Amino acid sequence: VQLTATFEPRGPLALRVAFQTITFSILGLRLPPVAFPPGTERTWLLTYTDEDTRLVRAGVDGGRSTARDLGLLSREEGEAADSYLFVLTRATPSESSRAPAGLPSPLAPLARAAERRRLKAQLLEACGGQSLGAEAGAEDLRRVRDLSVRLAALTPTADPASSPLLCGTWDIVWTTESELLALTKRGLLGLPCTAAYQAIARTREGGAGPWAYSLDNAIEFDGGFLRVGSTCEPAASGGRVNFVFQSCAARWRALELPLPPVGSGWFDVLYVDEELRVCRDSRGDLQVCARRK
């Protein structure tokens, strides 16, 4: 059984813990997580901590209890903040490295693939109906970020920056990039935004030698566009991609103008596969993209 939770400090010696999901593994097969009802929270009183041992007193303390809701405990059971005492010992490095596995090797890849599919579906659902993120509220932001982190931990692609999977045309389905969201929301001088995408390509002169990469960003409007062309250089290992702007152009109805390309930056590929890409850039903005078919 695995629990996920978030917490906030409540003074120097207390935490307010909000439980998010519970996941069961049966015969080595991990089942889909089950979300706790909103308000399933506990107070943790940090009674003692050293290098090896921690003592925690805990209680519902006004939160919601699923066991009480189901009638398994009385309504008053565990209500006080110090109702229960937990004695915890620090795991050894070998125990910590073994803890997340828990699956026999033949079933582990299948379980990870199933979890990826589930998280991808949840992430795309969470991104939907928000005008690429322009209409996202605080809870939407939290959910998309949480799902992105969980999905990144299951990325199937080693060294995603230099992977061929990075290349292709990627429709932006959600982002926190303020400039893009402003154009998404307001349009371009009265022209509504219809799409935003990135196109990443690589070529090799003469079929040999190092790859040369290009990155084109485009925002399409009903009767216009804004396009920025860049060169980019993925790191040989890891997820970092550096880029430098090379060209920029805008069109409003029949009027097309070149604009000065200014700037450079980088983004980290947190997750990429045949269908989905999640990145975080040098300003901390998050971007979720779906590969165009």
Side-chain angles (χ1 to χ4, degrees), residues 104-218:
S105 55
L107 291 178
L110 295 176
R112 288 174 65 87
E115 180 72 352
R116 278 195 298 270
R117 288 193 298 270
R118 189 187 66 82
L119 288 174
K120 284 166 58 176
Q122 287 188 347
L123 178 58
L124 290 173
E125 181 183 6
C127 293
Q130 298 177 25
S131 299
L132 307 189
E135 299 177 5
E139 180 58 26
D140 299 315
L141 290 169
R142 186 203 65 76
R143 179 162 172 75
V144 171
R145 285 169 173 160
D146 176 67
L147 288 168
S148 298
V149 169
R150 291 163 61 188
L151 185 60
L154 295 173
T155 182
T157 308
D159 299 322
S162 58
S163 169
L165 290 173
L166 181 67
C167 297
T169 300
W170 297 92
D171 289 310
I172 299 171
V173 298
W174 194 92
T175 185
T176 58
E177 185 180 339
S178 57
E179 295 88 348
L180 174 55
L181 294 180
L183 289 168
T184 298
K185 201 166 186 177
R186 303 189 185 104
L188 179 64
L189 299 177
L191 303 181
C193 177
T194 57
Y197 65 89
Q198 292 182 329
I200 302 175
R202 66 179 187 177
T203 57
R204 184 179 270 168
E205 189 172 341
W211 292 105
Y213 287 81
S214 63
L215 166 65
D216 294 321
N217 291 274

Side-chain angles (χ1 to χ4, degrees), residues 31-264:
L31 302 178
V34 177
F36 282 102
T40 304
E41 300 179 357
R42 301 291 183 271
T43 293
W44 286 9
L45 303 176
L46 308 180
T47 306
Y48 176 85
T49 301
D50 64 18
E51 294 81 358
D52 303 307
T53 305
R54 187 172 67 181
L55 302 182
V56 176
R57 292 173 294 150
V60 177
D61 194 19
R64 184 171 183 174
S65 169
T66 301
R68 295 196 309 195
D69 291 346
L70 294 174
L72 302 177
L73 298 174
S74 67
R75 303 303 300 179
E76 296 77 23
E77 178 72 25
E79 179 60 31
D82 60 352
S83 295
Y84 305 112
L85 175 65
F86 296 90
V87 180
L88 303 96
T89 58
R90 190 183 299 275
T92 65
S94 61
E95 289 172 336
S96 297
S97 64
R98 290 196 306 267
L103 291 174
S105 55
L107 291 178
L110 295 176
R112 288 174 65 87
E115 180 72 352
R116 278 195 298 270
R117 288 193 298 270
R118 189 187 66 82
L119 288 174
K120 284 166 58 176
Q122 287 188 347
L123 178 58
L124 290 173
E125 181 183 6
C127 293
Q130 298 177 25
S131 299
L132 307 189
E135 299 177 5
E139 180 58 26
D140 299 315
L141 290 169
R142 186 203 65 76
R143 179 162 172 75
V144 171
R145 285 169 173 160
D146 176 67
L147 288 168
S148 298
V149 169
R150 291 163 61 188
L151 185 60
L154 295 173
T155 182
T157 308
D159 299 322
S162 58
S163 169
L165 290 173
L166 181 67
C167 297
T169 300
W170 297 92
D171 289 310
I172 299 171
V173 298
W174 194 92
T175 185
T176 58
E177 185 180 339
S178 57
E179 295 88 348
L180 174 55
L181 294 180
L183 289 168
T184 298
K185 201 166 186 177
R186 303 189 185 104
L188 179 64
L189 299 177
L191 303 181
C193 177
T194 57
Y197 65 89
Q198 292 182 329
I200 302 175
R202 66 179 187 177
T203 57
R204 184 179 270 168
E205 189 172 341
W211 292 105
Y213 287 81
S214 63
L215 166 65
D216 294 321
N217 291 274
I219 308 174
E220 301 289 336
F221 303 91
D222 186 8
F225 61 72
L226 176 64
R227 296 173 183 167
V228 180
S230 312
T231 58
C232 62
E233 184 178 352
S237 61
R240 179 66 52 89
V241 178
N242 296 288
F243 60 85
V244 179
F245 298 134
Q246 299 291 328
S247 64
C248 184
R251 181 167 68 84
W252 186 84
R253 301 194 187 280
L255 178 64
E256 184 169 339
L257 296 173
L259 300 173
V262 178
S264 62

